[in-house]
């Protein structure tokens, strides 16, 4: 991976995929594309990974994703907080997962980790490159950028905009981005040299105040009830603005502190009408703009990229038809719409004035009911996602597309008779060997980024292996004996997509070839 190029004339690059934006979503996408065999060029305006203390929470589903690619060892053991919140109301996030709760990892570390893996896999990253134009053709996308040493022309089969909430790609292709602009905002600053008490969503008479001190640095966030977003012409707020609002809300003076970072984020709520525009696709904040409540924004973007990467690589390799990309829109647009809806509800609970107190009081009572807690925790953590893997290909803006489960296998079904695991992510579990060998975790079977046919029925393994053989260049066959009473039932087989979601289950090959064709393309022998 190269980050600087001393070119003197216009440079021309040819690649399979041009990824615009080297944040967490763009870098995750680059790793998945390379794992799937696609050539990738990533361009980003910044000179390196972010140095700002932005998103710092990885939820359970994102931790599972990193584990399935063997990336967690490099993170060490980050702090974990089992308790999160919904609109400032405390919420226990503990659900069945190897990684329940909120894991505190600075965004700069997440970007460093993903950049390193993308480099190991051979992605090319060009820093300090600004995108200027995008032209789509029948078979390619032409892009112009300006780098530190001159103009760069890039021709790619596909382009993916991962360039944030103010996406240049979105503007250049004029992608409809319906929704509403911000009407309220939170001011945020990291400050050294101040001593204020920690506050967790402290609602006072005049506003909301949040404060937490770690390693001598205090992060403060404040909203003054009824105060609209500041008119700053796109610039970040001054520290003076933060201290003035903080004093009006809390009565405390923090103006003597040293600001390390200051910004503001509002309650804007927008989502692309379509995540795919022919050969241009979108992921992360470029596809949806929301208030980063509960740390959901970064996790949503990483999971967008994880869903798209293997599909786009399969289309580029020619092993899957192009309409596989439409399942990306159907699945992730529905997830994004549901996340934006829960964030809208949280914004009202957080930034609403005294009129929301009765609702907050009611929710505080309701979250003590386990079904309610599990449902909300499933939404926040991503563990409740269930894709309609047997869908008929209709538009993704339909309620059946994704079900938010309660975290224990109960939720909206993809079909009335659907198996509880169908459309959900393969649970992490130990498998005993059928003949010799060592025990294996199901998560370890996903490390290659290939599809997986997991036989849990020794008697039917031979027929299942034979049915899978024409797809052996894309799908790995494995056998194991699940533990009794564990999350995976014995006596069945599971077809698992590269992103870990179960696409078919059965005790015999009936329906398996159709599922393999749907998700992995035509068999290699043409049968």
């Amino acid at each position: 991976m190269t980050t600087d190029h001393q070119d003197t004339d216009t440079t021309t690059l040819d690649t399979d995929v041009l990824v615009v934006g080297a944040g967490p979503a763009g870098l995750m996408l680059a790793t998945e594309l390379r794992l799937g065999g696609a050539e990738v060029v990533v361009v980003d305006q910044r000179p390196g990974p972010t140095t700002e203390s932005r998103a710092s929470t990885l939820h359970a589903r994102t931790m599972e994703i990193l584990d399935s690619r063997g990336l967690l060892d490099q993170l060490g053991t980050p702090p974990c907080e089992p308790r999160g919140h919904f609109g400032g109301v405390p919420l226990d996030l503990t659900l069945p997962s190897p990684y329940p709760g909120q894991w505190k990892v600075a965004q700069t570390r997440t970007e460093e980790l993903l950049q390193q893996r993308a480099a190991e896999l051979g992605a090319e990253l060009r820093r300090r490159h600004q995108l200027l134009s995008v032209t789509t053709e029948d078979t390619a996308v032409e892009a112009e950028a300006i780098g530190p040493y001159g103009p760069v022309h890039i021709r790619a089969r596909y382009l993916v905009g991962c360039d944030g909430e103010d996406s240049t790609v979105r503007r250049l292709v004029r992608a409809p981005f319906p929704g509403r602009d911000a009407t309220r905002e939170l001011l945020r600053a990291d400050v050294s040299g101040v001593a204020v008490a920690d506050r967790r969503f402290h609602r006072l008479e005049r506003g909301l105040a949040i404060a937490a001190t770690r390693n001598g640095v205090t992060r403060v966030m404040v909203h003054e009830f009824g105060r609209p977003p500041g008119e700053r012409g796109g610039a970040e707020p001054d520290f003076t603005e933060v201290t003035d609002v903080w004093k009006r809300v809390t009565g405390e003076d923090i103006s003597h502190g040293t600001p390390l970072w200051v910004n503001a984020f509002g309650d804007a709520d927008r989502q692309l009408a379509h995540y795919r525009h022919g050969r241009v696709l979108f992921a992360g904040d470029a596809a949806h703009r929301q208030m980063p409540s509960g740390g959901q924004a970064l996790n949503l973007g990483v999971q967008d990229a994880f869903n798209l990467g293997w599909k786009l690589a399969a289309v580029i390799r020619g092993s899957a038809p192009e309409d596989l990309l439409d399942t990306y829109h159907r699945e992730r647009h529905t997830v994004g719409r549901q996340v934006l809806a829960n964030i809208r509800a949280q914004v009202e609970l957080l930034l609403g004035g005294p009129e929301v107190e009765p609702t907050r009081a009611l929710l505080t009572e309701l979250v003590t009911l386990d079904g309610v807690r599990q449902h909300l925790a499933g939404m926040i953590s991503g563990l409740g996602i269930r894709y309609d893997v047997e869908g008929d290909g209709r538009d993704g803006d339909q309620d059946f597309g994704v079900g938010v489960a309660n975290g224990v296998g109960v939720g909206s079904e993809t079909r009335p008779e659907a198996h509880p695991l169908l459309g959900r992510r393969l649970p992490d579990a130990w498998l005993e060997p059928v003949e010799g060998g060592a025990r294996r975790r199901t998560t370890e079977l996903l490390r290659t980024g290939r599809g997986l046919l997991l036989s849990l029925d020794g008697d039917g393994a031979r027929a299942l292996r034979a049915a899978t053989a024409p797809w052996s260049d894309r799908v790995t066959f494995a056998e194991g004996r699940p533990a009794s009473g564990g999350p995976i039932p014995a006596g069945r087989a599971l077809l698992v997509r590269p992103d870990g979601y179960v696409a078919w289950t059965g005790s015999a090959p009936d329906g398996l070839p159709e599922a393999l064709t749907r998700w992995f393309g035509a068999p290699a022998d043409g049968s």
Side-chain angles (χ1 to χ4, degrees), residues 25-263:
L27 292 170
M28 173 57 77
L29 180 60
T31 65
E32 289 300 293
L33 287 167
R34 287 298 301 139
L35 196 62
E39 296 297 323
V40 186
V41 172
V42 183
V43 297
D44 192 283
Q45 296 186 63
R46 299 174 301 166
T50 183
T51 58
E52 297 174 342
S53 180
R54 292 184 179 269
S56 60
T57 297
L58 297 182
H59 284 297
R61 180 48 42 90
T62 301
M63 291 290 284
E64 291 178 0
I65 285 172
L66 296 178
D67 189 8
S68 70
R69 294 298 185 256
L71 289 166
L72 284 189
D73 287 347
Q74 298 174 56
L75 280 183
T77 306
C80 179
E81 170 57 60
R83 186 181 68 163
H85 74 94
F86 190 90
V89 175
L91 177 67
D92 181 1
L93 294 174
T94 304
L95 291 175
S97 169
Y99 309 104
Q102 299 183 108
W103 299 79
K104 296 302 178 182
V105 181
Q107 181 172 333
T108 182
R109 180 68 188 110
T110 301
E111 290 188 15
E112 289 171 352
L113 176 70
L114 294 174
Q115 179 174 316
Q116 180 180 352
R117 176 53 59 90
E120 293 170 354
L121 293 173
E124 179 177 341
L125 172 60
R126 290 188 167 232
R127 295 281 186 184
R128 298 191 292 164
H129 279 63
Q130 180 181 1
L131 185 69
L132 300 178
S133 68
V134 173
T135 304
T136 58
E137 301 176 354
D138 290 341
T139 60
V141 179
E142 304 279 350
E144 301 289 340
I146 186 72
Y149 300 104
V152 179
H153 176 83
I154 307 170
R155 181 178 177 84
R157 293 176 62 183
Y158 292 90
L159 182 152
V160 186
C162 300
D163 51 341
E165 60 183 22
D166 297 318
S167 170
T168 298
V169 177
R170 195 177 62 225
R171 173 177 55 80
L172 290 173
V173 303
R174 299 181 180 180
F177 197 42
R180 64 175 179 79
D181 293 330
T183 59
R184 293 167 291 195
E185 71 176 358
L186 269 170
L187 299 173
R188 176 168 58 177
D190 285 352
V191 190
S192 64
V194 297
V196 297
D198 281 1
R199 288 185 166 93
R200 184 177 173 85
F201 305 107
H202 191 186
R203 287 173 59 86
L204 300 161
E205 181 180 356
R206 300 193 64 175
L208 172 72
I210 303 165
T213 299
R214 291 195 186 101
N215 301 319
V217 176
T218 301
R219 170 165 290 186
V220 297
M221 291 189 281
V222 62
H223 168 72
E224 187 174 12
F225 293 148
R227 185 175 186 267
E231 296 290 339
R232 309 182 192 96
E236 300 291 9
D238 293 329
F239 184 53
T240 300
E241 184 179 356
V242 177
T243 61
D244 288 347
V245 175
W246 183 266
K247 188 170 185 177
R248 289 199 298 270
V249 170
T250 69
E252 298 171 349
D253 186 0
I254 59 172
S255 61
H256 59 282
T258 301
L260 307 178
W261 175 55
V262 178
N263 85 330

Side-chain angles (χ1 to χ4, degrees), residues 385-464:
I385 293 171
R386 185 173 197 174
Y387 293 133
D388 177 27
V389 294
E390 294 184 315
D392 58 9
R394 290 179 289 176
D395 183 27
D397 287 351
Q398 304 199 34
D399 291 339
F400 66 77
V402 175
V404 177
N406 65 11
V408 291
V410 179
S412 60
E413 301 289 348
T414 57
R415 292 290 184 270
E417 70 281 5
H419 187 275
L421 286 180
L422 191 62
R424 300 198 192 282
R425 203 160 193 278
L426 179 68
D428 182 81
W430 284 100
L431 298 175
E432 299 292 342
V434 175
E435 294 182 2
R439 301 170 73 220
R440 293 183 293 178
R441 288 172 58 215
T442 53
T443 298
E444 293 171 355
L445 298 175
L446 302 174
R447 296 274 163 85
T448 62
R450 290 163 51 90
L452 171 69
L453 195 287
L454 178 59
S455 173
L456 306 167
D457 177 11
D459 294 337
R462 180 175 297 180
L464 290 164

Side-chain angles (χ1 to χ4, degrees), residues 190-398:
D190 285 352
V191 190
S192 64
V194 297
V196 297
D198 281 1
R199 288 185 166 93
R200 184 177 173 85
F201 305 107
H202 191 186
R203 287 173 59 86
L204 300 161
E205 181 180 356
R206 300 193 64 175
L208 172 72
I210 303 165
T213 299
R214 291 195 186 101
N215 301 319
V217 176
T218 301
R219 170 165 290 186
V220 297
M221 291 189 281
V222 62
H223 168 72
E224 187 174 12
F225 293 148
R227 185 175 186 267
E231 296 290 339
R232 309 182 192 96
E236 300 291 9
D238 293 329
F239 184 53
T240 300
E241 184 179 356
V242 177
T243 61
D244 288 347
V245 175
W246 183 266
K247 188 170 185 177
R248 289 199 298 270
V249 170
T250 69
E252 298 171 349
D253 186 0
I254 59 172
S255 61
H256 59 282
T258 301
L260 307 178
W261 175 55
V262 178
N263 85 330
F265 55 93
D267 63 343
D269 181 90
R270 292 187 177 276
Q271 185 181 24
L272 281 174
H274 298 282
Y275 284 13
R276 181 187 178 197
H277 290 250
R279 292 185 174 272
V280 177
L281 299 102
F282 295 87
D285 287 348
H288 36 74
R289 183 171 187 169
Q290 63 285 309
M291 193 171 185
S293 180
Q296 293 183 86
L298 181 148
N299 292 268
L300 183 62
V302 168
Q303 292 168 38
D304 285 345
F306 202 65
N307 183 288
L308 174 60
W310 70 272
K311 296 174 180 178
L312 186 51
V315 170
I316 287 168
R317 290 196 317 266
S319 61
E322 191 173 357
D323 61 8
L324 181 63
L325 297 178
D326 294 329
T327 69
Y328 166 66
H329 167 78
R330 287 198 297 272
E331 292 177 348
R332 295 307 299 174
H333 190 277
T334 308
V335 171
R337 187 179 68 247
Q338 293 178 335
V339 170
L340 265 63
N342 91 56
I343 287 177
R344 283 195 299 273
Q346 292 193 63
V347 168
E348 294 304 318
L349 293 168
L350 277 171
L351 305 186
E355 71 279 0
V356 304
E357 290 302 329
T359 305
R360 291 179 58 85
L362 178 60
L363 181 62
T364 302
E365 294 181 17
L366 289 176
V367 295
T368 63
L369 304 177
D370 209 33
V372 175
R373 182 197 70 80
Q374 290 174 333
H375 182 77
L376 295 178
M379 287 197 298
I380 299 295
S381 65
L383 295 177
I385 293 171
R386 185 173 197 174
Y387 293 133
D388 177 27
V389 294
E390 294 184 315
D392 58 9
R394 290 179 289 176
D395 183 27
D397 287 351
Q398 304 199 34

